[in-house]
Amino acid sequence: MHLRLPFILAALVILACFASPAPAGQPPNIVLMLSDDMGWADPGFQGGDGDLTPNLDRLAGQSLRLTQFYAHSVCAPTRCALMTGRYAFRNWMDWRSEDFGKPSYLKKLGLELAHQPDGTPTRMLHGLDTGEHTIAEALKASGYFTALIGKWHLGEWLPGQLPMGQGFDHQYGHYGWGIDYNNYTIPHNSPATFAVYDWHRNQQPLDEQGYSTDLFANEAVRLISERSKDVPFFIYVPFNAIHGPLEDIPRYTDTLDKRSAALKCLDDAVGRIVGAVDQYGFSENTIVVFANDNGGLTEEVNRPYRGTKNTTFEGGVRVACTMRWPGKIPAGKTSDAMMHVVDLLPTFVSLAGGSTEPCRPLDGMDMSGVILKGGLSPRDEIVYEVAGSVRLPTIRSGDYKLMGDMLYDIVSDPSESTDVAAQHPEVVARLKARLEAVGKQRPPLEKVIGSPPALMDPPQPWVYGQAENRDAPEWLKERVAKVRSKQPQSWPPGETPWPQAPTGATIQYKGDGR
């Protein structure tokens, strides 16, 4: 037995070398995947069809599942809150950039569509304030390699509002709200509806073929495979799936409807990315997060919760979130701690050993004690919307949520079936006063978009990105012209290819909701 000991020790040394552990004390890598318009009940681990989401369900089983994780109710506000650790209203990102090219949205602000001097309609430029210190900038300051792979949706024109102007070392994907998955064009709200090209690597137009969900996975897998154990990385993968348009999907449509096929393709991509983390030896020191940006388009996919995307009912703002960090975050457990997407910045920066001091005052809270030790959430309030938004001013405080004049006890009535405002006038008064006070912290719109505001010029670009459009290559112009030739050349008065602004507490989506 004693003669075999040296051989056993040698074998252990060899195994340790192959495992290539991270250097002692190195902060964790972070891989954050974000789905788009997925419903609460879509994944199998939340009551959906498990045949569509085997990889998501496997990841959830290895993770801590957060059952009271909240976002804002539409794409860009959630992305802003994630990037800044601040509620979207604080820099007017509760208004998406394209909303400033939509007459029904502008009307809510008492504004009309902007026009160029020659009378051509165009949009006012809007994007994430460059004065914000983003999560990418905070992690980069801690020595992280930072990459965005996917949908940005925080500005699509000015250089400072694009990903590499906001702290990312690497960019791949699209800037705007919802591309065609196969030809990477997007209807441009100017308010002309003609297509604009929106596919880039490191902020240069990219000529490529493939289905965007698959391409995002390809890029993420490649980047992970190239990472060194000596440099921590933050890889943010905001998919456009399963946002519309749901047109040509490369597989599964022989047995599934298009939305289900798109969901299964998303699940494939998640499986490949998580697999790369494990295959290349990063799993033990990598936090893998999967979350969703807002609710789905119908109440059916958000069951048991009421409401949809673009509303502040639970179905619009309560979203899936799982977190995996082997040996650090408990696996196969659930937590009902109240969290909001603004909490990710201070939590990740804390785990990275970084500083939030350069950030503007945060709404986010460090939740590392919640996810690592099962502690209670320090959060007892979430502000979803304030006055000046197109959606109802909404706040949750403890068990109660106030939406406009409606009050719901979220703990005893999570499906928001009974308005209890009449029974609790003192709670209504307190929460209205709180919302009014917080709403007064919204800066003047002129401070954000300028006075007079900068305008998209040209009103109908070939490609997003001011510099990229200036030097747009001929192949790109030819491709966009071909797409435009097949689009409607006009729309009846009052009709648009995108939904009109919400009225009251609800919005009705038709088709794929683009």
Side-chain angles (χ1 to χ4, degrees):
M1 292 294 291
H2 292 291
L3 292 175
R4 297 180 60 189
L5 185 58
F7 295 99
I8 294 171
L9 292 174
L12 291 174
V13 169
I14 292 170
L15 286 173
C17 290
F18 275 109
S20 299
Q26 180 170 303
N29 307 306
I30 302 166
V31 175
L32 170 58
M33 296 171 284
L34 192 71
S35 59
D36 195 335
D37 285 7
M38 188 181 79
W40 175 269
D42 274 323
F45 67 84
Q46 291 190 161
D49 183 350
D51 289 339
L52 301 180
T53 59
N55 293 299
L56 282 170
D57 295 350
R58 185 179 305 110
L59 177 62
Q62 301 167 349
S63 303
L64 178 68
R65 288 173 48 203
L66 300 168
T67 61
Q68 288 199 85
F69 186 85
Y70 289 92
H72 289 303
S73 66
V74 281
C75 310
T78 290
R79 286 160 171 74
C80 166
L82 190 161
M83 281 294 109
T84 65
R86 289 156 50 83
Y87 293 131
F89 79 87
R90 296 198 183 279
N91 42 48
W92 282 85
M93 288 305 297
D94 49 343
W95 290 77
R96 301 162 293 186
S97 58
E98 69 271 12
D99 291 342
F100 286 87
K102 296 178 177 179
S104 68
Y105 277 77
L106 290 168
K107 188 176 181 180
K108 297 276 186 176
L109 291 174
L111 299 175
E112 295 183 351
L113 193 67
H115 290 75
Q116 295 281 27
D118 65 0
T120 305
T122 189
R123 74 162 73 156
M124 292 174 266
L125 292 177
H126 178 47
L128 182 61
D129 186 346
T130 56
E132 296 283 354
H133 192 71
T134 68
I135 189 171
E137 289 169 320
L139 291 172
K140 189 172 181 177
S142 294
Y144 277 67
F145 167 79
T146 59
L148 168 84
I149 302 169
K151 170 178 172 175
W152 174 238
H153 202 187
L154 293 174
E156 64 283 283
W157 194 245
L158 299 177
Q161 294 173 346
L162 299 180
M164 296 178 79
Q166 296 279 7
F168 286 98
D169 297 311
H170 181 87
Q171 175 275 330
Y172 176 84
H174 61 106
Y175 306 148
W177 54 274
I179 59 165
D180 181 292
Y181 290 60
N182 297 285
N183 65 33
Y184 327 125
T185 61
I186 181 172
H188 177 60
N189 311 103
S190 62
T193 60
F194 294 118
V196 175
Y197 197 73
D198 194 10
W199 195 251
H200 325 255
R201 178 180 282 125
N202 292 332
Q203 296 178 193
Q204 294 296 319
L206 182 59
D207 184 6
E208 204 166 24
Q209 289 184 328
Y211 182 65
S212 64
T213 304
D214 297 337
L215 295 177
F216 293 148
N218 291 351
E219 189 82 355
V221 168
R222 181 181 68 80
L223 281 190
I224 291 168
S225 75
E226 295 172 352
R227 293 307 98 212
S228 163
K229 297 291 194 302
D230 299 324
V231 179
F233 56 82
F234 171 55
I235 299 179
Y236 170 43
V237 190
F239 292 97
N240 61 316
I242 50 179
H243 194 292
L246 299 176
E247 293 171 348
D248 295 325
I249 299 167
R251 53 194 178 276
Y252 306 129
T253 53
D254 55 335
T255 57
L256 298 174
D257 64 88
K258 287 185 174 182
R259 188 174 185 277
S260 296
L263 178 61
K264 192 163 179 61
C265 288
L266 169 67
D267 184 78
D268 291 344
V270 170
R272 291 183 57 213
I273 294 169
V274 177
V277 171
D278 297 343
Q279 176 184 350
Y280 293 104
F282 291 109
S283 57
E284 295 304 310
N285 199 41
T286 300
I287 303 171
V288 175
V289 180
F290 176 83
N292 186 48
D293 65 346
N294 48 250
L297 302 184
T298 68
E299 291 197 354
E300 174 62 21
V301 300
N302 296 325
R303 63 183 189 280
Y305 301 117
R306 179 181 179 184
T308 66
K309 169 184 177 176
N310 225 343
T311 79
T312 52
F313 287 113
E314 292 290 285
V317 294
R318 190 185 295 217
V319 298
C321 183
T322 66
M323 294 188 178
R324 188 190 84 166
W325 189 7
K328 302 289 197 311
I329 295 177
K333 305 286 186 181
T334 60
S335 170
D336 64 357
M338 190 193 303
M339 291 179 60
H340 189 268
V341 66
V342 292
D343 299 326
L344 294 182
L345 184 152
T347 302
F348 289 166
V349 173
S350 173
L351 293 171
S355 172
T356 59
E357 188 174 342
C359 299
R360 289 176 176 175
L362 296 176
D363 297 300
M365 300 177 181
D366 180 3
M367 295 288 176
S368 55
V370 175
I371 63 174
L372 297 178
K373 301 177 182 178
L376 297 176
S377 173
R379 176 176 293 286
D380 63 0
E381 175 187 279
I382 296 174
V383 178
Y384 300 101
E385 302 284 350
V386 299
S389 167
V390 298
R391 293 162 289 278
L392 290 178
T394 303
I395 185 173
R396 177 169 171 184
S397 178
D399 294 354
Y400 291 104
K401 185 166 80 174
L402 182 74
M403 292 179 58
D405 295 320
M406 300 176 288
L407 184 71
Y408 297 99
D409 184 332
I410 297 301
V411 174
S412 65
D413 180 26
S415 60
E416 296 169 304
S417 60
T418 305
D419 178 2
V420 295
Q423 293 95 300
H424 300 283
E426 74 290 350
V427 176
V428 172
R430 173 172 60 85
L431 296 186
K432 282 197 171 188
R434 173 63 178 156
L435 267 180
E436 183 178 358
V438 174
K440 288 179 180 178
Q441 297 169 18
R442 181 194 286 277
L445 178 59
E446 295 78 11
K447 185 177 178 180
V448 176
I449 65 170
S451 182
L455 304 180
M456 180 74 79
D457 184 19
Q460 185 71 59
W462 291 105
V463 59
Y464 281 147
Q466 188 178 49
E468 295 170 66
N469 187 70
R470 189 179 302 123
D471 301 315
E474 288 304 313
W475 65 261
L476 187 155
K477 294 179 180 179
E478 292 172 5
R479 190 169 304 172
V480 172
K482 184 176 180 180
V483 173
R484 289 178 180 177
S485 69
K486 298 177 182 179
Q487 291 185 278
Q489 302 301 296
S490 64
W491 290 79
E495 290 192 22
T496 58
W498 55 83
Q500 303 304 307
T503 56
T506 62
I507 187 170
Q508 295 294 320
Y509 285 97
K510 298 178 181 178
D512 57 28
R514 78 181 92 169

